[in-house]
Amino acid sequence: MSTDGRTHKPTPPIVGGALAVLALVIATGLLLREHAPGNMGSGFLVGAAVAMLGGAVMWWRATRSPGRASTFERAWTQTGDERDDAVLTRALAVLGLLAVPLTGVAAIAIGLGAAVEMVLALLLAAEVAVGAIAFVVVARRS
């Protein structure tokens, strides 16, 4: 049985949850601006704003016109069918399997004297790339 006709979730809990997450993000960003080194708080706030804006756009596209939304948008917002859910689950499984070796390589690089900030940035970029590539490969094979 297909799940493409899922019932629409009520808006007040979604808005309430989004506001709670926004409050937590702002509080965390302000704490980082006050106590973290450099401009870490500003970077966190900008990154969080971009991520939340992207999530809002994906949710809007997936709920307003699900036929035109991508597989990733439908899967990430949990508005897709079984295939969309399976593709996301398999891609996240691949990412989970490769996260431990990638983190090990990063720890070795830090141990050998590489700059911690650069290693962590490259680790995050590598994990995003692995997730994106895994999603594309799984989506094309299924």
Side-chain angles (χ1 to χ4, degrees):
M1 175 182 221
S2 178
T3 57
D4 59 350
R6 291 182 181 169
T7 58
H8 185 65
K9 295 179 183 173
T11 303
I14 292 174
V15 172
L19 289 176
V21 168
L22 181 63
L24 180 66
V25 165
I26 290 173
T28 303
L30 292 177
L31 282 172
L32 286 173
R33 285 186 75 175
E34 186 67 28
H35 300 291
N39 60 356
M40 187 176 183
S42 299
F44 175 83
L45 288 172
V46 169
V50 169
M52 291 174 74
L53 181 63
V57 168
M58 284 192 314
W59 178 78
W60 180 75
R61 283 180 42 92
T63 56
R64 295 294 179 225
S65 56
R68 291 187 9 208
S70 69
T71 301
F72 180 75
E73 290 169 332
R74 289 190 307 269
W76 194 257
T77 57
Q78 298 179 352
T79 58
D81 57 9
E82 291 90 357
R83 181 196 175 272
D84 297 333
D85 293 341
V87 168
L88 181 63
T89 300
R90 292 162 110 190
L92 290 175
V94 171
L95 175 60
L97 286 173
L98 291 178
V100 173
L102 287 172
T103 305
V105 169
I108 291 170
I110 291 171
L112 292 175
V116 175
E117 297 86 2
M118 184 57 67
V119 171
L120 291 179
L122 290 173
L123 174 63
L124 182 60
E127 288 176 345
V128 168
V130 165
I133 291 168
F135 190 88
V136 169
V137 168
V138 170
R140 289 195 184 267
R141 288 187 179 178
S142 60

